[in-house]
Amino acid sequence: MSRLPWDARVAVITGAETETGAALAVELARRGAAVAVQYDKSFVRAKELVRSIERNGGRAVAIRADLSDPSAADLLCKKAGGAFGDVDIVVASEAPPSAAREGEEDAQSIADAVRDRLLAVLSPLHAALDAMARRGSGLLVHAGSGEPAGPASEAARAAAAAAVVALGRTAGPLGLSTHTLVLGTPQETARGVAHLAEGAAGHAPAAVGSVMQR
């Protein structure tokens, strides 16, 4: 597989309203990739992120999508492709927890919160899968936070990591690379994803998604 130069790469980054999502977008744009940043509620924060990237010579666009709806995730990837070309990197950063749900520990509240956060991770990864598989290459990453979390966040993180490993069993033989990356700070996570992208561009991926934690 030939190595794509960074300025030919297109990345979809979810969670522009989070520190991790913003750090991911800044790092990949700094390296030369065009980035489509997803947001749900805060257009102002997403637009500020885009302007910051553009001021530093990068290419970025903000796209609103409710990732609890898989069809919205499909549209997110299509809009990113329309703006910049074929999407070859999708990074689903963990959604910020709902303060109301995170503070409750009854079974139903935890189950509801896990479902919401799991969809926010898996919907964009699955949305890009078919197009990447047709091209025979692509990088799909679940980027978590290394900070302590409540029971719902911990459960959702573990479930997402397991789902990404399962996704890797399907995606790997098709030429795609899948990973879960959980590091200490947003900046460390962003650099880790960039390192994965370098590897994914340079050689055929393993058949099973990896889990990297610290």
Side-chain angles (χ1 to χ4, degrees):
M1 183 186 299
S2 62
R3 182 177 294 276
L4 275 176
W6 274 103
D7 61 5
R9 311 204 73 179
V10 178
V12 171
I13 311 293
T14 73
E17 298 136 309
T18 69
E19 288 187 25
T20 299
L24 285 160
V26 168
E27 179 66 23
L28 296 191
R30 183 185 70 79
R31 291 170 182 260
V35 296
V37 295
Q38 174 271 342
Y39 71 97
D40 187 8
K41 294 181 172 61
S42 181
F43 172 75
V44 172
R45 290 185 67 179
K47 195 62 180 176
E48 285 176 352
L49 175 60
V50 167
R51 286 173 177 163
S52 174
I53 290 170
E54 291 177 338
R55 281 196 298 270
N56 287 285
R59 296 169 292 157
V61 64
I63 301 173
R64 185 181 183 280
D66 176 3
L67 297 179
S68 65
D69 178 2
S71 65
D74 290 340
L75 188 57
L76 166 67
C77 290
K78 288 176 181 176
K79 286 182 176 179
F84 296 122
D86 292 339
V87 174
D88 62 302
I89 303 170
V90 176
V91 187
S93 60
E94 290 183 350
S98 163
R101 284 184 173 174
E102 194 65 32
E104 297 179 10
E105 297 188 9
D106 64 278
Q108 188 61 57
S109 295
I110 292 174
D112 289 344
V114 167
R115 178 185 181 278
D116 290 348
R117 301 194 72 193
L118 193 55
L119 277 172
V121 169
L122 296 182
S123 291
L125 300 184
H126 280 269
L129 187 61
D130 286 348
M132 287 183 175
R134 285 194 295 271
R135 297 194 302 272
S137 65
L139 174 65
L140 302 170
V141 183
H142 159 222
S145 167
E147 298 182 358
S153 293
E154 292 288 356
R157 183 176 299 164
V164 170
V165 169
L167 178 62
R169 295 191 184 102
T170 299
L174 299 174
L176 280 61
S177 182
T178 61
H179 303 269
T180 284
L181 192 66
V182 182
L183 297 177
T185 69
Q187 290 71 30
E188 287 174 328
T189 298
R191 289 192 293 270
V193 169
H195 178 73
L196 290 175
E198 293 275 4
H203 58 75
V208 179
S210 66
V211 180
M212 301 181 185
Q213 295 181 302
R214 193 180 72 188

